[in-house]
Amino acid sequence: MQMPQNPEVGHSIEIDGIRTNYHDLGEGHPVIMIHGSGPGVSGFVNWRLAMPELARHCRVIVPDMLGFGYSDRAADGAYSAARWVAQAVGLMDALGLEQTDIVGNSFGGALALMLAIQHPRRVRRLVLMGAAGVEFELTPGLDAVWGYEPSMDNMRRIMDIFAFDRSRITEDIVRSRYQASIQPGAQEAFSAMFPAPRQRWVHALASPEEAIRALPHETLVIHGREDRVIPLSNSLRLCALIPRAQLHVYGHCGHWTQIEHAGRFARLVRDFLTE
């Protein structure tokens, strides 16, 4: 009997020696969606609810970043924002994409911001959702996420931190994310990314404010009002710094805007990218 295919596994492409798993669906102007840094995350898990709607209007490309999901782990155990940004630009090059829109969630928002700063002509429009990318005091929620040690109880606690409405956190979700977090090499990679003390990784993901002020791109900034991982003040600051930015804040929403307000999020991003 044929086993069902894992929906998290898409296409595979090699980028500077990194075997990268990615999804590619729809037609039209391309948009790359960069996931966050939670344990057991993949591009598909992060964006699965938004992908179908956006793919009706755009070409949606969703990679697993180095060390996450079903992409390679770093052979030398070294992870950095520079390597992740280089991987995203390498994916664009490998797919023949001169310019794309970029959507980034949390950690992925920080990478999207860096990519736009370093390669402004490669980015058309920018969406930053619950984004890092500016200096802030490490939250207890983010410290817990980055300090995750594999167990069902720990994964349940992490999922509770992400969501405002904890009734959304089913045992199936917890079990699925836990199983993903114990795939071969997954925890070794994850624990190498953000070891304590973790405030330094907030700094490592922050871009200089003068560079953010110089961004020419139309930018949509999105945040959940009750986010306990990345503070709402981050998005207020980004909106104040980026000249052509607009800000949308969802109430009764934690760090999972794209899941807790899935339909609204997909329509908002669709309208912004296609206006």
Side-chain angles (χ1 to χ4, degrees), residues 77-139:
Y79 296 90
S80 68
R83 291 187 83 170
W84 284 310
V85 170
Q87 180 190 10
V89 174
L91 178 63
M92 293 171 62
D93 291 342
L95 296 178
L97 305 177
E98 184 59 34
Q99 187 182 65
T100 73
D101 297 325
I102 306 287
V103 180
N105 169 27
S106 191
F107 149 89
L111 301 183
L113 196 61
M114 289 180 180
L115 198 160
I117 289 168
Q118 296 170 22
H119 305 275
R121 294 183 180 179
R122 304 296 299 271
V123 178
R124 190 190 67 141
R125 289 194 165 206
L126 191 60
V127 179
L128 305 173
M129 191 199 87
V134 292
E135 296 283 359
F136 64 96
E137 184 176 347
L138 179 72
T139 63

Coordinates of all heavy atoms in Angstrom, one line a residue, residues 77-139:
G77 N 27.3 23.2 11.8 CA 26.6 23.5 13.0 C 26.5 25.0 13.2 O 26.0 25.5 14.3
A78 N 26.8 25.8 12.2 CA 26.8 27.3 12.4 C 25.6 27.9 11.6 O 25.4 27.6 10.5 CB 28.1 27.9 11.9
Y79 N 24.8 28.7 12.4 CA 23.7 29.4 11.8 C 23.8 30.9 12.0 O 24.3 31.3 13.1 CB 22.4 28.8 12.4 CG 22.2 27.4 12.2 CD1 22.7 26.4 13.0 CD2 21.5 26.9 11.0 CE1 22.5 25.0 12.8 CE2 21.3 25.6 10.8 CZ 21.8 24.7 11.6 OH 21.6 23.3 11.4
S80 N 23.4 31.6 11.0 CA 23.4 33.1 11.2 C 22.4 33.7 10.2 O 22.0 33.1 9.2 CB 24.8 33.6 10.9 OG 25.1 33.5 9.5
A81 N 22.0 35.0 10.5 CA 21.1 35.7 9.7 C 21.8 35.8 8.3 O 21.0 35.7 7.2 CB 20.9 37.1 10.2
A82 N 23.1 36.0 8.2 CA 23.7 36.2 6.9 C 23.5 34.9 6.0 O 23.3 35.0 4.8 CB 25.2 36.5 7.1
R83 N 23.6 33.7 6.7 CA 23.5 32.5 5.9 C 22.0 32.3 5.4 O 21.8 31.9 4.3 CB 23.9 31.3 6.8 CG 25.4 31.2 7.0 CD 25.8 30.0 7.7 NE 26.0 28.8 6.8 CZ 26.5 27.7 7.1 NH1 26.9 27.4 8.3 NH2 26.7 26.7 6.2
W84 N 21.1 32.7 6.3 CA 19.7 32.5 5.9 C 19.3 33.5 4.8 O 18.6 33.1 3.9 CB 18.8 32.7 7.1 CG 18.8 31.6 8.1 CD1 18.6 30.2 7.8 CD2 19.0 31.6 9.5 NE1 18.6 29.5 8.9 CE2 18.9 30.2 10.0 CE3 19.2 32.6 10.4 CZ2 19.0 29.9 11.3 CZ3 19.4 32.3 11.8 CH2 19.3 30.9 12.2
V85 N 19.8 34.7 4.9 CA 19.5 35.7 3.8 C 20.1 35.3 2.5 O 19.5 35.3 1.4 CB 20.0 37.1 4.2 CG1 19.9 38.1 3.0 CG2 19.2 37.7 5.4
A86 N 21.4 34.8 2.6 CA 22.0 34.3 1.4 C 21.3 33.1 0.8 O 21.2 33.0 -0.5 CB 23.5 33.9 1.7
Q87 N 20.7 32.2 1.6 CA 19.9 31.1 1.1 C 18.7 31.6 0.4 O 18.3 31.1 -0.7 CB 19.5 30.2 2.3 CG 18.6 29.0 1.8 CD 18.0 28.3 3.0 OE1 18.0 28.8 4.2 NE2 17.5 27.1 2.8
A88 N 18.0 32.6 0.9 CA 16.8 33.2 0.3 C 17.1 33.8 -1.1 O 16.4 33.6 -2.1 CB 16.1 34.2 1.2
V89 N 18.2 34.6 -1.1 CA 18.7 35.2 -2.4 C 19.1 34.1 -3.4 O 18.8 34.2 -4.6 CB 19.8 36.2 -2.1 CG1 20.3 36.8 -3.5 CG2 19.3 37.4 -1.3
G90 N 19.8 33.1 -2.9 CA 20.2 32.0 -3.7 C 19.0 31.2 -4.3 O 19.0 30.8 -5.5
L91 N 17.9 31.1 -3.5 CA 16.7 30.5 -4.1 C 16.1 31.4 -5.2 O 15.7 30.8 -6.2 CB 15.7 30.3 -2.9 CG 14.3 29.8 -3.3 CD1 14.4 28.3 -3.9 CD2 13.3 29.8 -2.1
M92 N 16.1 32.7 -5.0 CA 15.6 33.5 -6.1 C 16.4 33.4 -7.3 O 15.9 33.2 -8.5 CB 15.7 35.0 -5.6 CG 14.7 35.4 -4.5 SD 15.0 37.0 -3.8 CE 14.7 38.0 -5.2
D93 N 17.8 33.3 -7.2 CA 18.6 33.1 -8.3 C 18.4 31.8 -9.0 O 18.3 31.7 -10.2 CB 20.1 33.2 -7.9 CG 20.5 34.6 -7.5 OD1 19.8 35.6 -7.8 OD2 21.5 34.8 -6.7
A94 N 18.3 30.7 -8.2 CA 18.1 29.4 -8.7 C 16.8 29.3 -9.5 O 16.7 28.5 -10.5 CB 18.2 28.4 -7.6
L95 N 15.8 30.0 -9.1 CA 14.5 29.9 -9.7 C 14.3 31.0 -10.8 O 13.3 31.1 -11.5 CB 13.3 30.1 -8.7 CG 13.2 29.0 -7.7 CD1 12.1 29.3 -6.7 CD2 13.0 27.6 -8.3
G96 N 15.4 31.8 -11.0 CA 15.4 32.8 -12.1 C 14.4 34.0 -11.8 O 13.9 34.6 -12.7
L97 N 14.3 34.3 -10.5 CA 13.4 35.4 -10.1 C 14.3 36.7 -9.9 O 15.0 36.8 -8.9 CB 12.7 35.0 -8.8 CG 11.9 33.7 -8.8 CD1 11.3 33.4 -7.5 CD2 10.8 33.8 -9.9
E98 N 14.1 37.7 -10.7 CA 14.8 38.9 -10.6 C 14.3 39.7 -9.4 O 15.0 40.4 -8.7 CB 14.7 39.7 -11.9 CG 15.5 41.0 -11.9 CD 17.0 40.8 -11.7 OE1 17.5 39.7 -12.2 OE2 17.7 41.6 -11.1
Q99 N 13.0 39.7 -9.2 CA 12.3 40.5 -8.2 C 11.1 39.8 -7.6 O 10.4 39.2 -8.4 CB 11.9 41.9 -8.7 CG 11.4 42.8 -7.6 CD 11.0 44.2 -8.2 OE1 10.0 44.2 -9.0 NE2 11.7 45.2 -7.9
T100 N 11.0 39.8 -6.3 CA 9.8 39.1 -5.7 C 9.2 40.0 -4.6 O 9.9 41.0 -4.1 CB 10.2 37.8 -5.1 OG1 10.9 38.0 -3.9 CG2 11.0 36.9 -6.0
D101 N 8.0 39.7 -4.2 CA 7.5 40.2 -2.9 C 8.0 39.3 -1.8 O 8.3 38.1 -2.1 CB 6.0 40.2 -2.9 CG 5.4 41.2 -4.0 OD1 6.0 42.2 -4.2 OD2 4.4 40.9 -4.6
I102 N 8.2 39.8 -0.6 CA 8.6 39.0 0.5 C 7.7 39.1 1.7 O 7.3 40.3 2.0 CB 10.1 39.4 1.0 CG1 11.1 39.4 -0.2 CG2 10.5 38.5 2.1 CD1 11.5 38.0 -0.7
V103 N 7.2 38.0 2.2 CA 6.4 38.0 3.4 C 7.3 37.3 4.5 O 7.7 36.1 4.3 CB 5.1 37.2 3.2 CG1 4.3 37.2 4.5 CG2 4.3 37.9 2.1
G104 N 7.4 37.9 5.6 CA 8.2 37.3 6.7 C 7.5 37.3 8.0 O 6.9 38.3 8.4
N105 N 7.6 36.2 8.7 CA 6.9 36.0 10.0 C 8.0 35.9 11.1 O 8.8 35.0 11.1 CB 6.1 34.7 10.0 CG 5.6 34.3 11.4 OD1 5.4 35.1 12.2 ND2 5.4 33.0 11.6
S106 N 7.9 36.9 12.1 CA 8.8 36.8 13.3 C 10.3 36.8 12.9 O 10.8 37.8 12.3 CB 8.4 35.6 14.1 OG 9.0 35.6 15.4
F107 N 11.0 35.8 13.2 CA 12.3 35.6 12.7 C 12.4 35.8 11.2 O 13.3 36.5 10.7 CB 12.8 34.2 13.1 CG 13.7 33.4 12.2 CD1 15.1 33.6 12.4 CD2 13.3 32.6 11.2 CE1 16.0 32.8 11.6 CE2 14.2 31.9 10.4 CZ 15.5 32.0 10.6
G108 N 11.4 35.3 10.4 CA 11.4 35.4 9.0 C 11.2 36.9 8.6 O 11.6 37.3 7.5
G109 N 10.5 37.7 9.5 CA 10.3 39.1 9.2 C 11.7 39.8 9.3 O 11.9 40.7 8.5
A110 N 12.5 39.4 10.3 CA 13.8 40.0 10.4 C 14.7 39.7 9.2 O 15.4 40.6 8.6 CB 14.5 39.5 11.6
L111 N 14.6 38.5 8.7 CA 15.3 38.1 7.4 C 14.8 38.9 6.2 O 15.6 39.3 5.4 CB 15.2 36.6 7.2 CG 15.7 35.7 8.3 CD1 15.6 34.2 7.9 CD2 17.2 36.0 8.7
A112 N 13.5 39.0 6.1 CA 12.9 39.7 5.0 C 13.4 41.2 5.0 O 13.7 41.8 4.0 CB 11.4 39.7 5.1
L113 N 13.4 41.8 6.2 CA 13.9 43.2 6.3 C 15.3 43.3 5.9 O 15.7 44.2 5.1 CB 13.7 43.6 7.8 CG 13.8 45.1 8.2 CD1 12.7 45.8 7.5 CD2 13.7 45.2 9.7
M114 N 16.2 42.3 6.3 CA 17.6 42.4 5.9 C 17.7 42.2 4.4 O 18.6 42.9 3.8 CB 18.4 41.2 6.6 CG 18.6 41.5 8.1 SD 19.5 40.1 8.8 CE 19.6 40.6 10.5
L115 N 17.0 41.3 3.9 CA 17.0 41.0 2.4 C 16.7 42.3 1.6 O 17.4 42.7 0.7 CB 16.1 39.9 2.0 CG 16.3 39.2 0.7 CD1 15.7 37.8 0.7 CD2 15.8 40.0 -0.5
A116 N 15.6 43.0 2.1 CA 15.2 44.2 1.4 C 16.2 45.3 1.5 O 16.5 46.1 0.6 CB 13.9 44.7 2.0
I117 N 16.9 45.4 2.7 CA 17.9 46.4 2.9 C 19.2 46.1 2.0 O 19.7 47.0 1.4 CB 18.3 46.5 4.4 CG1 17.2 47.1 5.2 CG2 19.6 47.3 4.6 CD1 17.3 46.9 6.7
Q118 N 19.6 44.8 2.0 CA 20.8 44.5 1.3 C 20.6 44.3 -0.2 O 21.6 44.5 -1.0 CB 21.3 43.2 1.9 CG 21.8 43.3 3.3 CD 22.1 41.9 4.0 OE1 22.3 40.9 3.3 NE2 22.0 41.8 5.3
H119 N 19.4 44.0 -0.6 CA 19.2 43.8 -2.1 C 17.8 44.5 -2.4 O 16.9 43.9 -2.8 CB 19.0 42.3 -2.3 CG 20.2 41.5 -1.9 ND1 21.3 41.3 -2.7 CD2 20.4 40.8 -0.8 CE1 22.2 40.6 -2.0 NE2 21.7 40.2 -0.9
P120 N 17.8 45.8 -2.3 CA 16.5 46.6 -2.5 C 15.9 46.3 -3.9 O 14.6 46.3 -3.9 CB 16.9 48.0 -2.3 CG 18.4 48.1 -2.5 CD 18.9 46.7 -2.0
R121 N 16.7 46.1 -4.9 CA 16.1 46.0 -6.2 C 15.5 44.6 -6.4 O 14.7 44.4 -7.4 CB 17.1 46.3 -7.3 CG 17.6 47.7 -7.3 CD 18.5 48.0 -8.4 NE 19.0 49.4 -8.4 CZ 19.9 49.9 -9.3 NH1 20.4 49.1 -10.2 NH2 20.2 51.2 -9.2
R122 N 15.8 43.6 -5.5 CA 15.3 42.3 -5.7 C 13.9 42.2 -5.0 O 13.2 41.1 -5.2 CB 16.2 41.3 -5.0 CG 17.7 41.3 -5.6 CD 17.8 40.9 -7.0 NE 17.3 39.6 -7.4 CZ 18.0 38.5 -7.3 NH1 19.3 38.5 -7.0 NH2 17.5 37.3 -7.7
V123 N 13.5 43.2 -4.3 CA 12.2 43.2 -3.5 C 11.3 44.2 -4.1 O 11.7 45.4 -4.3 CB 12.5 43.4 -2.0 CG1 11.1 43.4 -1.3 CG2 13.4 42.4 -1.5
R124 N 10.0 43.8 -4.4 CA 9.0 44.7 -4.8 C 8.2 45.3 -3.6 O 8.3 46.4 -3.3 CB 8.1 44.1 -5.8 CG 7.2 45.1 -6.5 CD 6.1 44.4 -7.4 NE 5.2 43.7 -6.5 CZ 3.8 43.6 -6.7 NH1 3.3 44.3 -7.8 NH2 3.1 42.9 -5.9
R125 N 7.5 44.4 -3.0 CA 6.7 44.8 -1.8 C 7.1 43.9 -0.6 O 7.6 42.7 -0.8 CB 5.2 44.7 -2.0 CG 4.8 45.8 -3.0 CD 3.3 46.0 -3.0 NE 2.9 47.2 -3.6 CZ 1.8 47.9 -3.4 NH1 0.9 47.5 -2.6 NH2 1.6 49.1 -4.0
L126 N 6.9 44.4 0.6 CA 7.4 43.7 1.8 C 6.2 43.6 2.8 O 5.5 44.6 3.0 CB 8.5 44.6 2.4 CG 9.3 44.1 3.5 CD1 10.1 42.8 3.1 CD2 10.4 45.2 3.9
V127 N 6.1 42.4 3.4 CA 5.1 42.2 4.4 C 5.8 41.6 5.7 O 6.5 40.6 5.6 CB 4.0 41.2 4.0 CG1 3.0 41.0 5.2 CG2 3.2 41.7 2.8
L128 N 5.7 42.3 6.8 CA 6.4 42.0 8.0 C 5.3 41.6 9.1 O 4.5 42.5 9.5 CB 7.2 43.1 8.5 CG 8.3 43.6 7.5 CD1 8.9 44.9 8.1 CD2 9.3 42.6 7.2
M129 N 5.2 40.4 9.5 CA 4.2 39.9 10.4 C 4.8 39.4 11.7 O 5.6 38.5 11.7 CB 3.4 38.7 9.7 CG 2.2 38.3 10.5 SD 1.6 36.6 10.1 CE 2.6 35.7 11.3
G130 N 4.4 40.1 12.8 CA 5.0 39.8 14.1 C 6.5 39.8 14.1 O 7.1 38.9 14.7
A131 N 7.1 40.8 13.4 CA 8.5 40.7 13.0 C 9.4 41.1 14.1 O 9.2 42.0 14.9 CB 8.7 41.5 11.8
A132 N 10.6 40.4 14.2 CA 11.7 40.9 14.9 C 12.3 41.9 13.9 O 11.7 42.4 13.1 CB 12.7 39.7 15.2
G133 N 13.6 42.2 14.1 CA 14.3 43.1 13.1 C 14.6 44.4 13.7 O 15.4 45.2 13.0
V134 N 14.1 44.8 14.9 CA 14.6 46.0 15.6 C 14.9 45.5 17.0 O 14.6 44.4 17.4 CB 13.5 47.0 15.7 CG1 13.2 47.6 14.3 CG2 12.2 46.5 16.3
E135 N 15.7 46.3 17.7 CA 16.1 46.0 19.1 C 14.9 46.0 20.0 O 14.0 46.9 20.0 CB 17.1 47.0 19.6 CG 18.4 47.0 18.8 CD 19.3 45.8 19.1 OE1 19.0 45.0 20.0 OE2 20.4 45.7 18.5
F136 N 14.8 45.0 20.9 CA 13.8 44.9 21.9 C 14.3 44.0 23.0 O 15.2 43.2 22.8 CB 12.4 44.4 21.4 CG 12.4 43.0 20.9 CD1 12.0 42.0 21.7 CD2 12.8 42.7 19.6 CE1 12.0 40.6 21.3 CE2 12.8 41.4 19.1 CZ 12.4 40.4 20.0
E137 N 13.7 44.1 24.2 CA 14.1 43.3 25.3 C 13.5 41.9 25.1 O 12.3 41.7 24.9 CB 13.6 43.9 26.6 CG 14.1 43.1 27.9 CD 13.7 43.7 29.2 OE1 13.3 44.9 29.2 OE2 13.8 43.1 30.2
L138 N 14.3 40.9 25.2 CA 13.9 39.5 25.0 C 12.7 39.2 25.9 O 12.7 39.4 27.1 CB 15.0 38.5 25.4 CG 14.7 37.0 25.3 CD1 14.7 36.6 23.9 CD2 15.8 36.3 26.1
T139 N 11.6 38.7 25.3 CA 10.4 38.4 26.1 C 10.5 37.0 26.7 O 11.2 36.2 26.2 CB 9.2 38.5 25.2 OG1 9.3 37.4 24.2 CG2 9.0 39.8 24.5

